[in-house]
Amino acid sequence: MHRTMRRLLIAVAHGDDETLGAGGTIAKLADDGVRISLCVLTDDDGSRSENGLGATPRSSAIEAAAKILGIERVRIHSYGDNRLDTVGQLELNRVFEREVREFEPDTVFTTSVSDLSLDHQIVSRAARVAGRPGRGSVREVRCFEVRSATDCGEASGMPAFRPNCWQPLDASHLERKLEALRAYGSEVESWPSSRSERGVRALAEYRGSQVCREYAEAFELLRSVL
Ligand SMILES: [Zn+2]
């Protein structure tokens, strides 16, 4: 039996996590009529400001990328980038619990606890709590991989990201992902960075080849109630 996805909530720490992790899948699902909401916990780039580069608000880039991907609802919070560990886990759990109550998603996508980024780990835990079985609407929870954060996961001390779910993509969905990535401007790096367009395309080709398809994005399916 195959469960039909109707409403998807994407829970991330940073604008661009959703695009790097699942941009092609989001574009495909939006085309298929799935209603999609994006909740981002931070709206600046704290590591840039610490380096004297000046924090740049990400809200307009997040909105632009969401529009390209077909995300209809965007919620951006103002927690500090790379500082989610200074916010209580309970408070962040409640942010996503409120999102679940308001949007009533049947599916949640989030980052992986295997990522090097502590923000990604904290968001993942909060999203899993909000999507736990109970009175909520969520029946499926998946984690996606984010280039550089998941690539460096061995330094996190957590078990490695192990995909068990693949979404095949066609070229148009991969192109939408790359177009959304461009909306983030300076966050896109040049080859051979894994966060370059070529790096993102290479991962899509690799994940696709694992399931004999042209392109794909891979997920860890944590729970699915049919
Ligand atoms: Zn991130």
Side-chain angles (χ1 to χ4, degrees):
M1 190 174 118
H2 182 69
R3 187 178 63 81
T4 304
M5 192 190 304
R6 298 184 198 285
R7 298 173 79 89
L8 167 65
L9 172 66
I10 304 161
V12 295
H14 318 116
D16 79 1
D17 291 339
E18 77 297 334
T19 300
L20 284 162
T25 300
I26 294 167
K28 181 187 186 313
L29 293 173
D31 287 354
D32 291 346
V34 177
R35 299 184 64 186
I36 303 172
S37 178
L38 171 65
C39 181
V40 183
L41 290 186
T42 69
D43 69 348
D44 68 346
D45 187 337
S47 58
R48 280 176 64 82
S49 64
E50 280 163 19
N51 290 329
L53 297 171
T56 46
R58 291 240 195 134
S59 305
S60 57
I62 295 168
E63 300 272 2
K67 193 169 178 196
I68 292 164
L69 296 177
I71 295 170
E72 68 173 55
R73 179 178 183 271
V74 178
R75 295 285 183 273
I76 303 169
H77 295 266
S78 303
Y79 296 106
D81 178 32
N82 281 312
R83 292 189 188 84
L84 291 184
D85 55 324
T86 64
V87 184
Q89 183 78 49
L90 183 62
E91 180 175 334
L92 299 177
N93 295 352
R94 285 180 174 154
V95 168
F96 293 131
E97 285 173 343
R98 191 162 54 243
E99 291 294 317
V100 167
R101 265 199 315 278
E102 290 178 7
F103 188 66
E104 299 187 325
D106 51 69
T107 306
V108 172
F109 286 1
T110 188
T111 46
S112 170
V113 291
S114 306
D115 288 4
L116 178 59
S117 163
L118 196 52
D119 281 359
H120 288 201
Q121 297 179 21
I122 291 167
V123 164
S124 189
R125 291 196 183 93
R128 292 164 188 231
V129 169
R132 69 192 182 282
R135 285 173 295 176
S137 53
V138 179
R139 298 176 63 175
E140 183 169 312
V141 179
R142 293 187 211 176
C143 297
F144 48 67
E145 58 186 331
V146 176
R147 300 248 50 185
S148 79
T150 312
D151 294 339
C152 300
E154 79 287 347
S156 71
M158 301 294 287
F161 179 82
R162 291 188 62 186
N164 56 2
C165 174
W166 280 256
Q167 173 62 62
L169 302 172
D170 62 31
S172 70
H173 297 126
L174 178 60
E175 289 311 316
R176 289 252 293 284
K177 173 174 179 152
L178 294 172
E179 190 186 342
L181 199 57
R182 279 178 220 121
Y184 286 105
S186 60
E187 294 302 314
V188 185
E189 298 172 2
S190 54
W191 177 258
S193 164
S194 64
R195 295 172 72 98
S196 63
E197 285 194 27
R198 186 171 160 190
V200 169
R201 185 182 292 277
L203 180 63
E205 289 176 339
Y206 171 63
R207 290 306 187 193
S209 70
Q210 289 182 306
V211 289
C212 292
R213 306 298 278 269
E214 195 75 24
Y215 307 106
E217 284 169 338
F219 299 84
E220 276 183 337
L221 179 60
L222 298 186
R223 184 177 61 253
S224 182
V225 181
L226 300 176

